[in-house]
Every structure is written in structure tokens, then in C-alpha cells.
Amino acid sequence: MRLELKIPPLLLMFIFIGLVFLLHLFLPMLSIGFSAQAGLAALLCFMAAGICAVAVLQCHFANTTVDPRNPRATSDLICSGAFRLSRNPMYLGFTVFIAAAVLLTGSLPAIAAVPLFIWYMNRYQISPEERQLQKKFPEAFAQYQAKVRRWL
């Protein structure tokens, strides 16, 4: 498929966050606000940063790649730490960042950014990655898939 493993997920996250802010800018009448909005959005950002940082550090300490565009370069299947809770903790963190942007802006149409990002990631990033992991670690990955959900 043409889009498989082509757009770096970090860039994609920033594109989606940009779209959230553009929707808020061009459709402000479809935004809502409340007193704890900024604080809750900041809390989500801290959570997202923590999830991503733990996952990146785990990859670093396992001497395996964090570049998702080349899953063949993966040298180790990490099944502990953040990867014990989600097979894709970095993408989970990216999704939480997008949700934080939606919360911060209060943009009702922007809510669609979260499921659209998840759909895109499942279709064009995670599925191809998992095909490569199944080839590289057939038994270990099958066991891992049976124990750990894709997102949460």
C-alpha cells in the first residue's frame, strides 16, 4: 500500500494537532470551554510525554530502533514496562497528545481527530509493523499479541 510506513508517526501527530487548532481557529463557534480545561489538557500532555519517554528509553536500553518506518531494523521484541500495557505505547502517547489538543481548544469537530488518527495508525503503520514482527519473532510475537492489546 502506498501510505504504509511512509509518514513518520511523530510528524503525523503534529499534523493532526495542527488540524485540531485550525478547526478551532476557523470554527470557533463550535468550541466549548470550562474552567479546568487548560489544567486537564496539561495533565494529559504530561501523561503523554511520560508514556512516550518510557517507551523510547526502553527501546534505547534494548538497543532497538525507534524508527517505525523500518520495522525490519527491530533487533528485540520488548514485552515489559510500557510495552506490557500496550503493544504501541508511543502511538498511545501521540493519541493522548492529540486528545489534549482537542480538550485545550474545546473544538467539537476536532474530536474526530482522535479516532481518525487511531484508524490511520492501525491501517498504515501498526498493521505493516506487526506483519514484520510476526516474520521476525513468530512465536514470541504471537504470545505477546495474545497477552497485550494493541492500544490499551
Side-chain angles (χ1 to χ4, degrees):
M1 200 62 158
R2 222 174 200 184
L3 290 174
E4 285 186 354
L5 305 173
K6 297 294 184 212
I7 303 173
L10 182 63
L11 174 62
L12 194 64
M13 177 197 70
F14 284 118
I15 290 168
F16 271 78
I17 288 173
L19 289 173
V20 167
F21 283 98
L22 283 174
L23 283 168
H24 176 65
L25 181 68
F26 289 110
L27 299 170
M29 72 293 286
L30 297 176
S31 295
I32 58 171
F34 57 95
S35 61
Q37 196 166 358
L40 288 174
L43 180 64
L44 283 181
C45 284
F46 283 118
M47 288 173 45
I51 293 167
C52 291
V54 167
V56 167
L57 285 173
Q58 281 188 264
C59 290
H60 173 75
F61 290 126
N63 291 319
T64 193
T65 185
V66 293
D67 184 357
R69 292 171 297 159
N70 186 10
R72 286 184 214 123
T74 301
S75 61
D76 193 13
L77 182 63
I78 304 170
C79 303
S80 61
F83 292 90
R84 184 176 39 88
L85 305 172
S86 170
R87 293 196 315 256
N88 300 285
M90 285 180 255
Y91 303 154
L92 176 63
F94 294 169
T95 305
V96 175
F97 273 123
I98 295 166
V102 171
L103 181 61
L104 181 64
T105 63
S107 175
L108 297 175
I111 292 169
V114 174
L116 284 173
F117 180 78
I118 292 170
W119 170 81
Y120 183 93
M121 294 304 291
N122 281 333
R123 173 67 186 88
Y124 296 106
Q125 190 65 43
I126 296 171
S127 290
E129 283 179 16
E130 289 188 342
R131 283 194 302 270
Q132 290 297 321
L133 292 172
Q134 286 169 338
K135 288 178 187 174
K136 194 159 195 165
F137 311 102
E139 288 182 37
F141 189 71
Q143 290 174 359
Y144 180 55
Q145 272 186 309
K147 287 192 296 188
V148 179
R149 296 171 64 119
R150 183 177 270 180
W151 289 92
L152 265 182

